[in-house]
Structures are given as structure tokens and as C-alpha cells.
Amino acid sequence: MSAILMAAATALPGASSAGSAGLTAVPVNTRAMWLWGDDPAADVISWAGEHNISEVFVHVAPSVLTDGGLARLQELKEMAVARRIKLRALGGDPDWVTNHAAALAWQRTVVSTGLFDGIHLDVEPYLVEGWTTDLPGTEAAYLKLLDRMRAASTLSLEADVPFWFGQYKLGRKNLADEVLRRVNGVTVMSYRDTATGPNSIVAVSLDWLARGKAAGKRVRLAAETGPLADCLHCTFHEEGAAALKLELAKVDEATRQTAAFGGIAVHHYGAWHRLPA
């Protein structure tokens, strides 16, 4: 997951507040995390249990059925079920914006394992050349990918999104709204090292939270724990675990009246569990 444009301006357009579809903010301390590495299943699930993680986004390689990785995922699933933790299959490649066949093949592999409660898609269309050379075509291709992936599986589909998608239009429509129409929920890469105030986790996410309420879709916020040399205020890598815990609790408090709030995801286990106290 890239940190591209994470230091962008935070002024964002508003969204309709109509139609929250009965949503209410999830309980305090609702947490999720990304898992990119092949860390031992017992370590991951133990950590998840200690940190109130209810969902883990588990990276699944396209070759998982043949590369020997399936047994570890099966072990992870068994341990997660025992702790009532959901597993979402994490995958994505910028090339999938146009190579839908590769994305759909990966999704078929995920479904065939029978191990996952949903799909967590990390495809970042702004990383492909077309974002600068053919923005309308690239946006359309990305949305078509979401359409095809949702149609091809009964698993719920979520997507990682940058906080600034609401700045982009497709004719009279809005890119953020069009993404929400196609997925069951989003996780906003709201990478900041403060909870509230100017240029904070909550501040950069307000646009998505409003659009999520209007669409009746969950919007999860996110915090980064890995090193980001080009954006020190985008990560808790320097501040450490205690600061992370404190600021995320402030996010919970600040979103109690925010209907679409879906909790907080931490990126990612490999960096999080190594944070200094």
C-alpha cells in the first residue's frame, strides 16, 4: 500500500447527509489490521486477540494453491475462528486496473479456498501511467474492475481508498460516490499521526464519512505504523505504540455521532507489532 499523495491538501468537497440507511457508528475499539507477510499464524492471532482485532486482511498470493502457502492460511483460519476473528482476502496490483482477467483469476483462487469472509481490494489506480495520461479512461477501468469483481463472487467486497478521491469527477458524477456504489465498504488511507484537528485522521476522512452515510456504506479509517521517510506526519512509526493507542481512542471518541464510521484498521501487523512502546 503506497503513501502517494498522503501529504495532499485536506480541503475536500462536501456530500449529501441524506439516507444513512440505519447506520450507527460501530462500538469503541473496533479494530482491523492488514497482514502482508507470512508471519506465524499463532503469533498473528495472539496479537489480534490482545488488540481487539475483529478482522484481519490477509494477503493471498495468486499462486497460493501451488506455492505451499495454503496450509498456513488454513491454520490461520482455524485459529481465527476460535477467536471469532474474520479473515478477508487481501490482494491487489495497480495493473489490475486494466488487467481484469488477472484480478478475477485471483478472486476465483480466493473463493476456492473457502477460508475467507470477504475480499479486501488494494488496487490503487493513481499508480498507473493512465492516471496522468488518460484519467477518465483509468477511472472508468477501475470502476469496471469493481463491477466485475462484485458480480463474480458472493463474498463482500471492500476497497482501500485514498482520502482525496472525492476531489475527482466523472462527468457530473463523483469518483468517491461511484466507488461506494460498487463496494460493501471502504477503508480510507487516512494516514496521519494525530486523531483530530487540522490535517488529522478524522479531518482528512470527513468527506468519505459523509459520502458513506449518504450511501449507507461503512467507512473504516486507517492508521500507518511503518516508516514513511517522505511523510513523517503520516505514520506512528516515530511516535510509538502508546501514542498510537491514545490517538486511536481519540478517533473513536470523535466519531461517536458519525453514522458511517466502521472502526479503525492499522497498517500493518509487520510494523505494528515492532513499534517501540
Side-chain angles (χ1 to χ4, degrees):
M1 175 175 300
S2 79
I4 188 170
L5 300 184
M6 286 296 99
T10 59
L12 294 168
S16 169
S17 61
S20 63
L23 288 177
T24 56
V26 298
V28 167
N29 206 29
T30 297
R31 301 288 184 262
M33 72 177 178
W34 285 263
L35 176 65
W36 290 102
D38 57 357
D39 306 86
D43 293 350
V44 172
I45 298 304
S46 176
W47 177 269
E50 292 169 3
H51 292 81
N52 209 52
I53 302 297
S54 56
E55 295 189 36
V56 180
F57 314 144
V58 183
H59 178 249
V60 181
S63 59
V64 70
L65 299 180
T66 58
D67 65 9
L70 184 59
R72 173 181 163 273
L73 293 182
Q74 291 168 333
E75 181 184 11
L76 193 68
K77 176 68 172 180
E78 182 178 358
M79 292 183 176
V81 168
R83 300 293 291 264
R84 298 183 179 179
I85 296 170
K86 292 183 178 180
L87 301 185
R88 288 188 175 272
L90 169 62
D93 186 315
D95 288 343
W96 287 4
V97 173
T98 52
N99 188 355
H100 295 179
L104 293 169
W106 172 81
Q107 184 172 247
R108 286 193 297 271
T109 295
V110 166
V111 172
S112 74
T113 69
L115 299 175
F116 296 97
D117 300 288
I119 301 290
H120 193 91
L121 195 63
D122 182 36
V123 172
E124 303 178 39
Y126 42 87
L127 297 181
V128 304
E129 184 179 357
W131 191 258
T132 54
T133 61
D134 179 16
L135 179 59
T138 301
E139 290 174 321
Y142 174 62
L143 294 176
K144 183 64 174 178
L145 170 67
L146 298 181
D147 284 332
R148 297 186 68 181
M149 293 191 74
R150 183 160 188 183
S153 168
T154 59
L155 292 178
S156 66
L157 177 64
E158 296 183 352
D160 291 332
V161 293
F163 62 79
W164 39 262
F165 260 8
Q167 297 177 358
Y168 286 82
K169 303 290 187 180
L170 296 89
R172 295 185 177 182
K173 298 179 180 179
N174 183 279
L175 179 58
D177 292 336
E178 292 303 298
V179 170
L180 281 169
R181 285 183 55 216
R182 291 162 167 83
V183 298
N184 298 97
V186 297
T187 297
V188 182
M189 292 180 280
S190 50
Y191 297 157
R192 293 293 184 267
D193 60 9
T194 53
T196 59
N199 201 25
S200 63
I201 292 172
V202 172
V204 301
S205 305
L206 290 176
D207 184 60
W208 273 109
L209 289 166
R211 295 182 191 280
K213 178 181 177 181
K217 301 290 180 69
R218 286 288 183 201
V219 175
R220 188 188 286 110
L221 310 188
E224 176 65 85
T225 61
L228 294 176
D230 59 342
C231 189
L232 296 181
H233 66 276
C234 297
T235 177
F236 286 90
H237 183 70
E238 293 79 24
E239 288 80 2
L244 172 68
K245 183 177 181 180
L246 177 63
E247 293 303 309
L248 296 194
K250 293 178 183 178
V251 173
D252 279 333
E253 177 63 25
T255 52
R256 289 304 84 209
Q257 304 302 316
T258 307
F261 177 65
I264 306 168
V266 178
H267 188 256
H268 52 93
Y269 171 76
W272 186 13
H273 83 283
R274 294 187 176 92
L275 281 184

